[in-house]
């Protein structure tokens, strides 16, 4: 079965490359013409992937060039582009098509509107990469992934997808993928806050002036999740448990920021 990486930026290119190197048939799809042309003519470079630079020479096309019926799709576009991506792919969606969202948002419900919940898989990506330019991705460090169906069922297809994604990073199946995705969104408050300044993630989390502000953001988002009846899951790789932070007193919670900062120290880009 062909794997279609739809949105071949940082995350898509990395997952696609690791799948390609494991022997899978992979086609890369992206709307940036220069990126597609570079992949087809000069290859795709992933820097520092598992400790070395890797170049592959896969097929790459723009969205309007898709022709065949889709099998397994790794959807890696920005959240705001989800509907456009699904509408573009819809003529190529068949009864066996499965779309895995590697977008780190809450896009699964949108995807399921087009193909149904049984063909929609959620995935939490907790490792990082950066788009450096056409045909060049910088990998920033290992971290786990979780995948799951919308109804929490464990299917043969889900197990097969886990095996494929294990080629990129350790992947586990969870019956509560929604809880993990919400926790990542809450954790993402740190990235949003960091965009307002020039600090690295480590220095931001270590700064005594920043910590009460970040804690307030974490707690407010957690209350929103609780109001929506979401059972949040801890992100152990970031030493981050939003539910626990909400129940702790302020001093106890702020002490947890040391471990959060430590979770970034091994990354190439922090």
């Amino acid at each position: 079965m062909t794997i279609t990486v739809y949105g071949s930026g940082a995350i898509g290119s990395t997952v696609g490359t690791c799948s390609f190197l494991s022997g899978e048939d992979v086609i890369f799809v992206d709307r940036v013409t220069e990126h597609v042309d570079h992949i087809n003519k000069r290859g795709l470079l992933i820097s520092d992937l598992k400790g070395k630079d890797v170049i592959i020479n896969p097929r790459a096309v723009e969205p309007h060039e898709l022709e065949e019926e889709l099998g397994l799709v790794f959807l890696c576009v920005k959240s705001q582009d989800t509907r456009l991506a699904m509408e573009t792919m819809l003529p190529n969606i068949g009864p066996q098509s499965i779309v895995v969202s590697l977008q780190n948002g809450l896009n699964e419900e949108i995807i399921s509107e087009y193909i149904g919940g049984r063909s929609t898989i959620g995935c939490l990506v907790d490792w990082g990469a950066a788009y450096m330019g056409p045909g060049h991705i910088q990998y920033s460090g290992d971290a786990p992934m979780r995948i799951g169906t919308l109804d929490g069922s464990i299917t043969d297809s889900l197990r097969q997808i886990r095996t494929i994604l294990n080629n990129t990073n350790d992947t586990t199946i969870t019956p509560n993928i929604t809880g993990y995705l919400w926790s990542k969104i809450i954790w993402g408050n740190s990235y949003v806050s960091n965009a307002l300044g020039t600090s690295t993630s480590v220095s931001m989390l270590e700064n005594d002036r920043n910590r009460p502000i970040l804690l307030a953001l974490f707690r407010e988002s957690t209350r929103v999740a609780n109001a929506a009846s979401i059972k949040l899951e801890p992100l152990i790789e970031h030493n981050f448990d939003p539910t626990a932070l909400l129940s702790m007193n302020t001093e106890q919670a702020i002490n947890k920021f040391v471990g959060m900062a430590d979770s970034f120290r091994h990354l190439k880009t922090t």
Side-chain angles (χ1 to χ4, degrees), residues 74-193:
F74 289 151
L75 184 60
C76 306
V77 300
K78 300 294 185 184
S79 292
Q80 62 266 27
D81 295 324
T82 301
R83 286 196 182 277
L84 177 59
M86 293 307 302
E87 289 168 3
T88 302
M89 286 191 290
L90 199 55
N92 303 91
I93 295 290
Q96 302 304 314
S97 301
I98 296 176
V99 176
V100 184
S101 170
L102 291 92
Q103 301 168 274
N104 277 340
L106 298 175
N107 302 295
E108 289 72 17
E109 289 188 9
I110 295 174
I111 295 167
S112 67
E113 289 178 17
Y114 292 89
I115 62 173
R118 293 180 62 85
S119 300
T120 304
I121 303 294
C123 179
L124 171 72
V125 178
D126 230 350
W127 47 268
Y131 179 84
M132 307 303 291
H136 184 199
I137 306 298
Q138 171 69 54
Y139 183 70
S140 62
D142 296 341
M145 288 186 284
R146 288 93 170 178
I147 59 170
T149 57
L150 300 189
D151 63 3
S153 60
I154 311 299
T155 65
D156 288 340
S157 295
L158 193 64
R159 295 187 183 95
Q160 293 169 3
I161 294 166
R162 176 186 60 184
T163 298
I164 294 170
L165 290 176
N166 269 332
N167 293 307
T168 302
N169 268 310
D170 183 54
T171 304
T172 57
I173 293 174
T174 173
N176 184 26
I177 189 61
T178 302
Y180 276 108
L181 293 172
W182 269 80
S183 290
K184 181 62 182 289
I185 287 174
I186 295 170
W187 172 245
N189 280 312
S190 63
Y191 303 133
V192 174
S193 303

Side-chain angles (χ1 to χ4, degrees), residues 202 205-206 237 239 257-266:
V202 172
L205 288 164
E206 289 181 331
E237 60 273 20
N239 302 304
F257 278 65
V258 175
M260 295 181 208
D262 287 344
S263 74
F264 280 110
R265 296 187 194 280
H266 72 291

